[in-house]
Amino acid sequence: MVPHILWTDVLIYLLLAVIAGFAVYASRHEHLRTPWRQVTRRPMAMGALVVLLAFVAVGLLDSVHYRPRLPGSATQTSSEVRSALDALLSPLRRRTEKTYSAPFATHAHGRETVLRPDGALARAYPRLLHGGAHLTDGESRLADILVKVATATGTVLLLWLPLAAWVAWRQRSPGDGWAGGWQRLWRGESELPWRTLLLTLVVLLAAIANLAWLSAYYHVLGTDQVGQDVLLKSLKSVRTGLVIGTLTTLVMLPFALFFGILAGYARGLIDDVIQYVYTTLSSIPDVLLIAAGVLSLQVYMAHHPETFDNVTTRADWRLLFLCLILGLTSWTGLCRLLRGEVLKLREADYVLAARSLGASHFAIMARHLLPNVMHIVLIAVVLDFSGLVLAEAVLSYIGVGVDPTMDSWGNMINGARLEMAREPMVWWTLGAAFLFMFTLVLAANLFADAVRDAFDPRLRR
Amino acid sequence: MTTPVDQAILRVRGLRAVFDTPEGVVHAVDGLDLSVAPGMTLALVGESGSGKSVTALSLLRLLPSPAGRLAGGEVQVAGVDLMRLSERQMRTWRGRRMAMIFQEPQSSLNPVMTVGDQLREALAGEDRRLPPAARLRRLVELLNAVGIADPEHRLDEYPHQLSGGMKQRAMIAMALAGRPQVLIADEPTTALDVTIQAQILDLLQRLQRETGLAILLITHDLGVVATIADEVAVMYAGVIVERAPRATFFASPRHPYSRQLFRSLPARGKRGGSLETIPGMVPSLRQTFAGCRFADRCEHVEPRCRQQEPPWLTIAPTGVRCHRANDLPPLTISEPVPAHPTPSADTAPSPLPLLDVSDLHMHFPIRRGVLQRAVGYVRAVDGVSLSIARGRTLALVGESGCGKTTAGKAILQLLRPTRGHVRFDGYDLTALRGESLRLLRQHLPIVFQDPVGSLNPRMPVGEIVGEGLCVAGVPWHERQRRVAELLEQVGLPDEAMRRYPHEFSGGQRQRISIARALATQPRLIVCDEPTSALDVSVQAQILNLLKQLQERQGIAYLFITHNMGVVEYLAHDVAVMYLGRIVEQGRLEEVFAAPRHPYTQALLSAVPVLNGEGPARIILGGDIPSPSRPPSGCHFHPRCPMAGARCRREYPAESRLTATHVVRCHLLGSGTG
């Protein structure tokens, strides 16, 4: 097993480091700490955060890549790149069917010609290789599922109750015992919204346990055209969505910050030039730029096959390139916002005071202007995230998105669109992509809302 | 002279207004009684946070809901209790029986509606049903009544085409449109310049004489009170602490708070020593008070003041809420010293001035068209010369728009002057560029007016104060030590270093600004209206601090202000600016004792005088002309009561009256300069 680091992995680790650095910085600065503390007190935001963290965990597991050794060889490694998530989900990966099967199905979705034991040929729905294979013919599928759901949920509850009890114990006020703590917790009187946190956690854990337990026996979300488990594909798509949503921001942020603040502060010719650049850029349709960028990358890769030696690397490059292009086309909005704000701030007395004390232009931009536009940056970044996740789906659908071999929600939708016309309809690929995307974007939007409210000075209490 | 209750048109009893906040209930107005008779003016005086504006809003039931609500009391207008009316009925009362004018004429007029439309909206009752021609006549009549020239034409103009004074007149016209019996004026002149303020106060008095309006005037400015009020009510922490007829109030204020306010007013007579200040701050109105609300800041406090709420005592004609109202010593305010003993520094001015500004011009081009060609210039500063010696204070006085702030910025090279020279300590600042200018700037810091905007909200105070040191490359440890020292110098605890500006009050923030300016041990500080956003008692603290710093460290100040009281208290020299030029300049004694320029005379006479016995007021007509199109000849001639033919033709030359006193006016003989 040899670690294999993809370019997007590097950038993800870098982003993690930046976020950790910002967290340390914010915890030392009162004006940043206060609004964040406000965010932590909002039940909805904290519930959304738990869901977001679950997505991030999946994405991070999928960002630890390695190449397994070839069986029977000490030095040779496979050209296939796997991730920690792949290893974790390898049972799912191995359990492939022939083709489509509905969620929880025991039989295939389409009729096939099968050889009866009596030697006659017949058209029938064949049994699946893995889905519900443990059931004997007469056994009820529903009863089996219910038993498994009850077992999984029960186990989670048993694990969860001590945790809840521990939180209640911590919450009790001096003087009253358990009952008081429970009461405070139940009425939502604790400082952190523990009630919502615990409830979200139990729902999330129950969902995970059920999925894990059931997917060992069934294809919970069905299988796709080549018989691959849709749940596996959906989980693998999480990383793609997150990478597009976050790395794009990382690419765009330096442009937006630097040019926005510079244009607002310097004014005059510099401002004119920057304004020309971003008005030009934002009047070209984004799809056109992205299509051109992705296609030229494809041509380049076709001419240099030696650099891009395997499928994963190639798909990764395309993903990274997509982030770059999306970033290059989306910095203009934030840049314009920042320019406007800085135009206003540069006339502020404290900026004049700093100038009268001889502070250099760079010091004024970095020490006085940047911290005062940070709230706008934060709001824009969090709001952009969900837009970008959705943009990936649209771009993959029209064929200029991520590599077709890469798991992504956009590719899942693209693959499912033709099957919508089948009778009976194959709805589950689309449904699964919708479910995952919806959950992620909803959680991100709820969280973004809370962040915006906390940083909006007009709503400050 | 107190209003007999039966005559009063507006009568308020036990009014209580509260605000619900996450931290608790704020009792902004806590049991307020007042009454105003027709044709009378009651001035409600108080510092910020005393609840006077909330009172005004409560009377019209306009408190911002849902946070604010009326918790009790009754408000009777012409015998009807407004608190019992439904909101629907209340709407017919607002603007009809009772009208209100606000502080900020700028934001109280809708910028996208013409003055005529807004005025038409304010009409009430029969006036609304008038035929169009008659209605137009009524509108013209209203604008005429408030002294707006050419009313037919003005009706079709938008608010931005009017000057500040005219906007306030239009606001008053709107208030009068409903033919009210009671007018509530919330700081009607605070946003205006002294000469415009005098016009508006005059207008209010005239209107009152003509229509018998009852006016409730809300203000923080004792000068305004002295000019216009018949009766004075002093408000402190949500209650009225003293009520008296004007003359009695100014002759012998009874409540310790009123008395201490008087003593903290800056004036020439107090130059020798430091001003008296009121320690502490207005208490939080979230608490419930056991005793007197002023007890913690009172110099005459007794144990019973803290335990027992003081009763309302009547010492005719004054009513006062104080336990000790009867046994306080008589109030002594130091008398004006006519011949001020000049300090030694005055007699021997140093040969080389610290700052020498000659012929400073600051013109802003007005650009038009596609090619952005300059079609004209705003002559914000148009040939200003002045000099400041070490350890002296020069006050640059003028109304807003006269270019005094621009002059300050141009001197510091925050704006590059169009022409002229600024010599500081031998260096010509206008010739310096880049790095050398940047390094020299440390010796020329500035203190701004706005205590909120001048401190970076995202920086801890320690870093704000240390900014100049940081630029000078002082190492971190040394910097921390210096910052602690500076904070101590301006009277702040050194734990302030780690806190953020929003945790401090206005006065404390201004101290932080001063500490920041002091950090680099400057010899000159430019102070741009450093006290005009502060309450009187806080202003006194800041002025004391500035004076003390000057005495100890020999710092010179360029003090930009419009407040004549502050000038008289602090300045050694005065320069009066009008439309970009200095019209009169000299030693304080010379200029204030015998102002020679008609503008200076008008400016000084427009300052409301406390005892009401000032020189005859000269009320200037009109507004300051635009600096992009200055009048021909002497800039002041369109407003000058003594202008002659020559004044319209040529700009007057300097007339040098003494070695230091210079005036630019044709009336003072020609040829001397």
Side-chain angles (χ1 to χ4, degrees):
Chain A
M1 206 165 78
V2 178
H4 184 92
I5 294 173
L6 296 173
W7 271 104
T8 44
D9 292 345
V10 175
L11 290 175
I12 286 173
Y13 301 146
L14 186 71
L15 188 69
L16 273 185
V18 170
I19 292 173
F22 178 75
V24 172
Y25 179 83
S27 69
R28 290 197 186 146
H29 287 75
E30 186 55 36
H31 63 90
L32 291 172
R33 202 165 49 192
T34 320
W36 279 113
R37 207 180 290 135
Q38 247 183 55
V39 173
T40 62
R41 291 196 187 134
R42 292 192 156 216
M44 197 65 102
M46 290 316 274
L49 183 66
V50 171
V51 176
L52 274 182
L53 284 179
F55 272 95
V56 170
V58 172
L60 285 180
L61 274 179
D62 205 7
S63 301
V64 183
H65 287 99
Y66 65 94
R67 286 187 201 207
R69 295 215 188 285
L70 282 178
S73 157
T75 51
Q76 288 236 296
T77 54
S78 150
S79 68
E80 189 194 8
V81 179
R82 295 241 184 107
S83 72
L85 188 72
D86 289 328
L88 207 68
L89 299 178
S90 57
L92 271 185
R93 174 173 293 278
R94 263 183 262 114
R95 290 150 43 83
T96 52
E97 304 291 341
K98 240 193 228 154
T99 178
Y100 290 116
S101 70
F104 292 108
T106 52
H107 293 77
H109 186 63
R111 258 193 275 222
E112 282 172 28
T113 311
V114 290
L115 190 65
R116 287 257 183 85
D118 57 7
L121 287 175
R123 297 280 290 169
Y125 297 103
R127 274 299 287 264
L128 293 178
L129 294 176
H130 305 282
H134 62 293
L135 294 175
T136 53
D137 275 341
E139 233 175 321
S140 159
R141 188 175 56 153
L142 187 66
D144 182 58
I145 293 172
L146 285 180
V147 167
K148 291 195 162 62
V149 166
T151 331
T153 314
T155 322
V156 166
L157 276 179
L158 277 182
L159 287 171
W160 174 77
L161 274 175
L163 179 72
W166 179 70
V167 173
W169 181 248
R170 296 273 314 264
Q171 286 301 315
R172 79 196 191 286
S173 41
D176 59 15
W178 277 97
W182 274 115
Q183 225 166 37
R184 277 172 63 87
L185 189 64
W186 186 244
R187 293 200 193 133
E189 286 165 357
S190 50
E191 196 172 341
L192 281 178
W194 278 114
R195 183 176 56 171
T196 317
L197 274 178
L198 286 171
L199 284 180
T200 320
L201 198 68
V202 74
V203 170
L204 193 73
L205 285 178
I208 292 172
N210 277 311
L211 280 178
W213 190 246
L214 286 168
S215 64
Y217 300 95
Y218 297 97
H219 299 292
V220 178
L221 293 176
T223 55
D224 68 355
Q225 193 171 18
V226 292
Q228 247 186 6
D229 195 296
V230 173
L231 176 64
L232 173 78
K233 289 191 72 160
S234 307
L235 285 174
K236 289 284 289 176
S237 302
V238 168
R239 175 175 186 268
T240 317
L242 288 179
V243 164
I244 296 261
T246 54
L247 285 195
T248 306
T249 313
L250 195 70
V251 171
M252 144 206 82
L253 215 50
F255 288 97
L257 279 180
F258 183 72
F259 288 124
I261 294 181
L262 187 67
Y265 181 69
R267 300 200 300 192
L269 187 65
I270 299 179
D271 183 23
D272 286 348
V273 170
I274 294 173
Q275 271 196 73
Y276 275 122
V277 170
Y278 73 59
T279 8
T280 312
L281 210 57
S282 56
S283 35
I284 304 173
D286 287 357
V287 175
L288 200 70
L289 275 182
I290 293 163
V294 169
L295 293 179
S296 53
L297 178 77
Q298 264 177 330
V299 172
Y300 181 81
M301 286 200 290
H303 283 99
H304 300 83
E306 69 287 350
T307 328
F308 308 96
D309 54 350
N310 64 43
V311 184
T312 320
T313 321
R314 213 176 301 177
D316 185 65
W317 265 100
R318 184 154 165 179
L319 176 64
L320 184 61
F321 208 71
L322 190 66
C323 290
L324 278 176
I325 298 168
L326 274 175
L328 283 179
T329 52
S330 65
W331 61 273
T332 51
L334 180 60
C335 183
R336 194 173 294 179
L337 268 181
L338 290 181
R339 173 180 170 269
E341 184 71 13
V342 170
L343 272 179
K344 192 179 81 191
L345 287 178
R346 77 187 295 280
E347 300 299 332
D349 285 347
Y350 58 81
V351 174
L352 277 183
R355 279 177 61 201
S356 82
L357 287 169
S360 66
H361 294 309
F362 181 77
I364 287 175
M365 284 195 270
R367 279 163 58 86
H368 291 281
L369 296 177
L370 182 63
N372 279 295
V373 297
M374 243 9 228
H375 63 287
I376 297 184
V377 174
L378 202 72
I379 292 163
V381 163
V382 191
L383 284 177
D384 274 358
F385 171 80
S386 35
L388 288 166
V389 173
L390 297 176
E392 185 273 328
V394 174
L395 290 175
S396 300
Y397 179 80
I398 59 172
V400 292
V402 296
D403 196 88
T405 60
M406 187 163 225
D407 292 310
S408 88
W409 294 315
N411 278 339
M412 280 169 73
I413 293 169
N414 191 22
R417 73 182 152 142
L418 293 176
E419 312 304 336
M420 294 293 287
R422 266 170 86 123
E423 184 57 42
M425 193 167 61
V426 177
W427 52 268
W428 47 88
T429 344
L430 199 71
F434 168 77
L435 182 75
F436 273 75
M437 232 154 64
F438 175 75
T439 318
L440 176 63
V441 172
L442 180 69
N445 277 345
L446 286 177
F447 189 65
D449 251 3
V451 170
R452 190 186 51 202
D453 285 356
F455 279 85
D456 191 337
R458 280 165 301 178
L459 294 175
R460 197 69 66 74
R461 275 164 298 178
Chain B
M1 223 181 117
T2 29
T3 320
V5 171
D6 42 280
Q7 283 177 15
I9 175 123
L10 170 69
R11 197 181 311 151
V12 180
R13 260 194 236 117
L15 182 73
R16 291 173 57 226
V18 298
F19 284 87
D20 297 311
T21 64
E23 288 82 27
V25 178
V26 176
H27 300 271
V29 178
D30 204 8
L32 180 107
D33 303 307
L34 55 83
S35 55
V36 194
M40 292 300 217
T41 302
L42 172 71
L44 195 58
V45 193
E47 293 185 282
S48 51
S50 59
K52 53 191 195 306
S53 286
V54 176
T55 306
L57 293 175
S58 310
L59 294 185
L60 286 170
R61 298 213 345 226
L62 284 174
L63 281 180
S65 61
R69 60 193 160 83
L70 289 165
E74 62 181 52
V75 177
Q76 283 190 8
V77 176
V80 178
D81 187 1
L82 297 187
M83 296 295 134
R84 290 178 200 282
L85 296 182
S86 68
E87 178 60 30
R88 200 187 149 85
Q89 288 169 310
M90 191 64 210
R91 271 207 294 275
T92 64
W93 277 71
R94 289 186 199 124
R96 316 289 154 85
R97 296 295 183 82
M98 264 168 119
M100 184 157 177
I101 49 180
F102 295 91
Q103 172 172 356
E104 197 59 67
Q106 202 80 0
S107 53
S108 311
L109 289 174
N110 186 341
V112 296
M113 276 170 78
T114 61
V115 174
D117 285 341
Q118 298 190 47
L119 209 52
R120 203 165 294 134
E121 232 180 24
L123 289 179
E126 278 96 72
D127 290 336
R128 242 171 220 265
R129 288 184 286 276
L130 285 175
R135 198 159 57 184
L136 188 67
R137 269 203 303 282
R138 168 80 180 133
L139 298 184
V140 170
E141 183 190 307
L142 279 169
L143 287 190
N144 264 328
V146 295
I148 291 183
D150 191 13
E152 289 87 354
H153 180 220
R154 293 292 181 192
L155 282 176
D156 295 326
E157 290 195 346
Y158 287 90
H160 71 93
Q161 292 167 294
L162 307 183
S163 69
M166 259 204 283
K167 275 184 214 157
Q168 194 59 293
R169 284 170 191 269
M171 280 294 302
I172 295 175
M174 280 170 67
L176 293 179
R179 303 180 195 270
Q181 291 165 304
V182 179
L183 182 68
I184 301 173
D186 188 2
E187 306 262 10
T189 57
T190 308
L192 305 174
D193 288 310
V194 267
T195 59
I196 309 294
Q197 168 171 316
Q199 291 173 9
I200 297 291
L201 292 181
D202 195 51
L203 169 68
L204 284 177
Q205 273 176 317
R206 182 168 62 76
L207 289 172
Q208 189 171 41
R209 270 198 310 278
E210 287 167 7
T211 61
L213 264 178
I215 298 182
L216 177 63
L217 176 81
I218 291 168
T219 184
H220 70 280
D221 189 340
L222 287 173
V224 171
V225 176
T227 318
I228 177 171
D230 297 304
E231 210 184 345
V232 183
V234 180
M235 208 169 165
Y236 183 80
V239 294
I240 289 181
V241 292
E242 177 166 359
R243 195 169 67 215
R246 178 188 60 192
T248 324
F249 178 72
F250 283 100
S252 57
R254 295 277 181 182
H255 196 277
Y257 174 62
S258 325
R259 297 161 63 119
Q260 268 165 288
L261 270 188
F262 273 106
R263 281 191 295 203
S264 52
L265 279 179
R268 190 144 160 229
K270 301 172 186 169
R271 277 178 74 94
S274 55
L275 294 172
E276 283 197 45
T277 59
I278 308 182
M281 294 199 296
V282 178
S284 159
L285 296 176
R286 290 201 185 91
Q287 53 186 308
T288 42
F289 294 92
C292 174
R293 289 158 197 242
F294 188 60
D296 287 336
R297 304 173 71 188
C298 184
E299 53 182 354
H300 304 295
V301 66
E302 282 185 347
R304 67 172 163 165
C305 296
R306 297 188 192 279
Q307 290 146 12
Q308 222 181 330
E309 196 164 340
W312 183 258
L313 289 178
T314 309
I315 309 167
T318 304
V320 62
R321 195 183 292 279
C322 179
H323 285 300
R324 300 200 50 192
N326 278 317
D327 56 339
L328 288 179
L331 175 68
T332 49
I333 298 178
S334 40
E335 288 299 308
V337 188
H340 181 67
T342 36
S344 54
D346 285 21
T347 47
S350 51
L352 186 74
L354 182 63
L355 180 79
D356 185 42
V357 178
S358 55
D359 199 30
L360 189 74
H361 287 73
M362 187 72 230
H363 293 179
F364 298 101
I366 307 168
R367 296 184 190 279
R368 291 270 161 73
V370 188
L371 295 177
Q372 294 288 298
R373 273 191 319 180
V375 293
Y377 289 93
V378 175
R379 297 182 167 81
V381 179
D382 202 22
V384 161
S385 303
L386 45 86
S387 67
I388 305 175
R390 277 169 219 282
R392 305 262 296 183
T393 302
L394 171 76
L396 194 56
V397 184
E399 296 179 271
S400 61
C402 75
K404 55 191 195 298
T405 295
T406 312
K409 286 181 181 168
I411 289 171
L412 295 185
Q413 309 297 308
L414 290 173
L415 296 167
R416 293 316 289 244
T418 320
R419 210 163 74 215
H421 293 281
V422 179
R423 280 190 197 79
F424 174 71
D425 204 20
Y427 296 95
D428 188 350
L429 294 184
T430 41
L432 290 178
R433 288 279 179 279
E435 198 67 1
S436 42
L437 176 64
R438 202 166 73 76
L439 291 176
L440 202 66
R441 269 197 179 143
Q442 294 164 23
H443 304 289
L444 285 155
I446 180 165
V447 175
F448 291 99
Q449 167 179 5
D450 177 13
V452 179
S454 59
L455 304 177
N456 186 343
R458 313 276 190 199
M459 261 194 189
V461 169
E463 268 183 60
I464 292 175
V465 175
E467 175 109 42
L469 299 171
C470 182
V471 172
V474 176
W476 192 80
H477 278 290
E478 173 67 13
R479 209 156 73 207
Q480 296 299 98
R481 201 183 53 73
R482 279 281 297 147
V483 168
E485 246 173 54
L486 288 163
L487 287 176
E488 200 202 313
Q489 250 175 34
V490 298
L492 288 173
D494 63 345
E495 50 97 26
M497 251 199 285
R498 280 170 299 279
R499 284 156 60 193
Y500 284 84
H502 70 89
E503 298 171 59
F504 296 89
S505 67
Q508 285 173 322
R509 284 167 186 235
Q510 221 49 331
R511 285 168 192 270
I512 296 170
S513 278
I514 294 172
R516 169 174 63 188
L518 287 175
T520 45
Q521 295 178 312
R523 277 165 294 172
L524 175 80
I525 299 181
V526 176
C527 300
D528 188 0
E529 307 253 14
T531 59
S532 32
L534 305 176
D535 281 321
V536 178
S537 61
V538 182
Q539 164 175 300
Q541 295 170 8
I542 298 295
L543 292 179
N544 283 344
L545 174 67
L546 289 173
K547 193 154 201 165
Q548 191 192 346
L549 288 169
Q550 185 165 54
E551 278 158 14
R552 283 203 206 138
Q553 308 185 8
I555 299 174
Y557 296 121
L558 172 61
F559 206 92
I560 299 168
T561 186
H562 68 270
N563 186 331
M564 300 299 162
V566 172
V567 174
E568 278 189 289
Y569 174 68
L570 206 64
H572 300 110
D573 305 289
V574 182
V576 181
M577 235 178 134
Y578 188 78
L579 211 63
R581 296 189 182 169
I582 290 177
V583 294
E584 181 160 4
Q585 193 170 11
R587 302 260 280 274
L588 179 86
E589 309 85 73
E590 295 167 340
V591 176
F592 271 56
R596 301 302 294 274
H597 196 282
Y599 179 63
T600 318
Q601 289 166 0
L603 208 57
L604 286 174
S605 82
V607 178
V609 179
L610 284 190
N611 52 25
E613 307 301 328
R617 269 163 66 201
I618 307 168
I619 295 179
L620 290 178
D623 295 298
I624 293 198
S626 157
S628 59
R629 276 172 287 109
S632 62
C634 173
H635 289 171
F636 186 59
H637 85 258
R639 301 176 75 193
C640 184
M642 289 172 268
R646 194 174 165 204
C647 302
R648 282 180 206 105
R649 278 199 320 271
E650 45 191 293
Y651 196 80
E654 275 186 1
S655 311
R656 197 167 281 276
L657 302 177
T658 68
T660 45
H661 195 173
V662 178
V663 183
R664 278 178 177 273
C665 181
H666 286 305
L667 296 171
L668 289 166
S670 52
T672 30

